[in-house]
Amino acid sequence: MASQDYFDNTIDFADNIICLCPTCHNKIHRAVLNERKAMIQNLFKSRKDKYTNYGIDIDEKTLLTLYGIL
């Protein structure tokens, strides 16, 4: 959500929400780089087609950059 200003359309929509246990949520933000990258890549691949439905133009490289991985 901190990256909302980079997009013309809202990124706050139901298809962009995923339930994570506290451990996985922590990993997304604090795990070693390779673990974070793998989790984000897997989540992106599972829902990337949904973003275009909401007018969100984002690719994996941009997402990884927003998470400070690239």
Side-chain angles (χ1 to χ4, degrees):
M1 294 309 304
S3 301
Q4 175 61 62
D5 291 343
Y6 293 105
F7 302 97
D8 292 331
N9 296 327
T10 184
I11 58 174
D12 189 16
F13 52 89
D15 286 333
N16 197 29
I17 297 170
I18 187 162
C19 293
L20 297 173
C21 71
T23 301
C24 289
H25 185 258
N26 242 354
K27 281 184 180 181
I28 289 272
H29 295 289
R30 296 180 185 88
V32 295
L33 191 65
N34 288 339
E35 284 183 25
R36 290 176 60 214
K37 184 177 181 180
M39 288 182 73
I40 292 167
Q41 286 173 317
N42 287 335
L43 290 170
F44 179 73
K45 287 176 188 172
S46 72
R47 45 197 346 111
K48 66 181 176 181
D49 296 332
K50 297 178 189 271
Y51 296 127
T52 54
N53 295 338
Y54 293 90
I56 304 298
D57 182 27
I58 190 167
D59 57 24
E60 185 178 300
K61 182 178 178 183
T62 303
L63 184 62
L64 291 172
T65 300
L66 291 172
Y67 271 91
I69 293 173
L70 296 181

